[in-house]
Amino acid sequence: MRELNTALVLGASGGLAHAIVNELIADAEIDTVVAVSRKSAPESFTGTETSVPIWIETEYVESAMASVVERLQPFAGSVTRVVICHGILHSDTLWPEKRLEDIDADALHAVFQANTVVPVLWLKLLHRLLKSNQRCVVAALSARVGSIGDNRLGGWYGYRSSKASLNMMLRTLSIEYARRAKNVKIIAFHPGTSDTPLSKPFRRSVPNEKLFTPQFVAERLCGIMRNAEIDGQLSYLDWDNKSIPW
Ligand SMILES: NC(=O)c1ccc[n+]([C@@H]2O[C@H](COP(=O)([O-])OP(=O)(O)OC[C@H]3O[C@@H](n4cnc5c(N)ncnc54)[C@H](OP(=O)(O)O)[C@@H]3O)[C@@H](O)[C@H]2O)c1
């Protein structure tokens, strides 16, 4: 008999996360999709004849996140996909910096908390649950602008450096996971500019053919995760499965 496959989507209310959840629900290889969010489940969150997804609401403080992981114990050893979708670029109270004068300590804290700290806390809390004889692929949604080598334009201090910091955290985590949960492969994934609330104010310079639908990105990511080799290394990949320079 085939082993059970569970997929976790963390930060499930976002534009990309929504498409990723749907792609995983439609995947015949996945038995259960668990979506975790600060928000309640959208009406569209329904399963198929064979798969009933689960939605868990939480705050992103460590104690509440640990309670979520506790609730996931029945799935220990069966989790084969994890997608970490958290990320903010702008909000009602913050905007990406154009110049030095725009740098603000509170905004930096908020961006680092959502983009770096929350994803890393999940991977701290999840490692025992993910350890298994089955292969497990974790993708954290990073961004090409987190590449230090690729930074030619400047600006967006907080977003860029929170993603660079996420990448370094993931690299460090992948070294420890290679010792403690050898079945896990971690990917820092750049989706490309995609049609979601995050990119909406910044699309004027993006040609139509370069603005991806969330569904396209979800299909690409799920394909990359399906075929990823478990090699104990962090990969920094774009939607086309091409490596991005650190
Ligand atoms: N769209 C693009 O063009 C693009 C390009 C490159 C990289 N990315 C990355 O892709 C990921 C998903 O982005 P998206 O385009 O789907 O954006 P989105 O629609 O704005 O979704 C935002 C995501 O961030 C989470 N989030 C929002 N505020 C948070 C907070 N204060 N603390 C923790 N989590 C918070 C949400 O989780 P809840 O479910 O809890 O609300 C949701 O998963 C992000 O990491 C983003 O940086 C996007």
Side-chain angles (χ1 to χ4, degrees):
M1 210 175 74
R2 127 177 132 70
E3 290 183 280
L4 284 179
N5 282 292
T6 304
L8 298 183
V9 179
L10 305 168
S13 80
L16 288 174
H18 180 72
I20 292 164
V21 165
N22 288 340
E23 185 70 20
L24 289 166
I25 288 174
D27 185 336
E29 276 179 26
I30 306 289
D31 301 292
T32 308
V33 176
V34 182
V36 179
S37 176
R38 299 167 301 170
K39 300 191 178 158
S40 50
E43 276 178 22
S44 60
F45 186 70
T46 51
T48 61
E49 269 176 29
T50 51
S51 168
V52 181
I54 297 166
W55 187 280
I56 300 176
E57 270 181 65
T58 183
E59 289 173 74
Y60 298 128
V61 293
E62 188 169 352
S63 54
M65 295 163 78
S67 301
V68 172
V69 173
E70 198 50 46
R71 277 181 68 180
L72 296 173
Q73 283 312 313
F75 299 103
S78 79
V79 179
T80 53
R81 307 270 197 288
V82 181
V83 188
I84 304 175
C85 300
H86 307 280
I88 55 173
L89 172 58
H90 59 90
S91 73
D92 294 344
T93 54
L94 67 89
W95 197 252
E97 311 86 346
K98 285 194 176 139
R99 53 190 196 139
L100 288 169
E101 286 81 350
D102 297 336
I103 294 174
D104 173 80
D106 290 340
L108 285 179
H109 282 298
V111 170
F112 269 78
Q113 176 67 22
N115 296 6
T116 314
V117 176
V118 171
V120 167
L121 282 179
W122 281 126
L123 288 171
K124 168 189 170 180
L125 295 166
L126 282 168
H127 77 273
R128 283 195 197 87
L129 191 93
L130 302 188
K131 190 172 171 172
S132 168
N133 295 326
Q134 294 203 79
R135 64 192 287 285
C136 171
V137 181
V138 174
L141 298 195
S142 182
R144 192 185 295 278
V145 296
S147 163
I148 292 172
D150 195 55
N151 182 1
R152 290 179 193 91
L153 284 178
W156 292 19
Y157 286 84
Y159 187 75
R160 274 184 195 284
S161 33
S162 65
K163 293 293 190 183
S165 174
L166 171 69
N167 291 349
M168 179 57 96
M169 286 282 197
L170 294 173
R171 174 89 172 215
T172 308
L173 274 158
S174 63
I175 292 168
E176 189 163 348
Y177 264 69
R179 285 200 303 272
R180 299 178 62 182
K182 293 185 197 320
N183 59 307
V184 177
K185 162 78 180 173
I186 306 179
I187 298 170
F189 180 71
H190 169 62
T193 306
S194 312
D195 186 2
T196 71
L198 181 138
S199 68
K200 201 165 182 188
F202 308 99
R203 289 203 206 128
R204 240 173 299 145
S205 58
V206 182
N208 273 349
E209 68 280 9
K210 290 211 167 148
L211 180 68
F212 297 148
T213 64
Q215 192 191 347
F216 169 80
V217 173
E219 283 166 18
R220 286 294 178 138
L221 174 61
C222 289
I224 289 169
M225 294 179 82
R226 198 175 298 120
N227 296 317
E229 189 191 337
I230 308 297
D231 57 4
Q233 311 271 330
L234 175 69
S235 298
Y236 184 22
L237 299 175
D238 70 6
W239 55 273
D240 201 20
N241 207 12
K242 295 213 168 74
S243 287
I244 299 171
W246 299 107

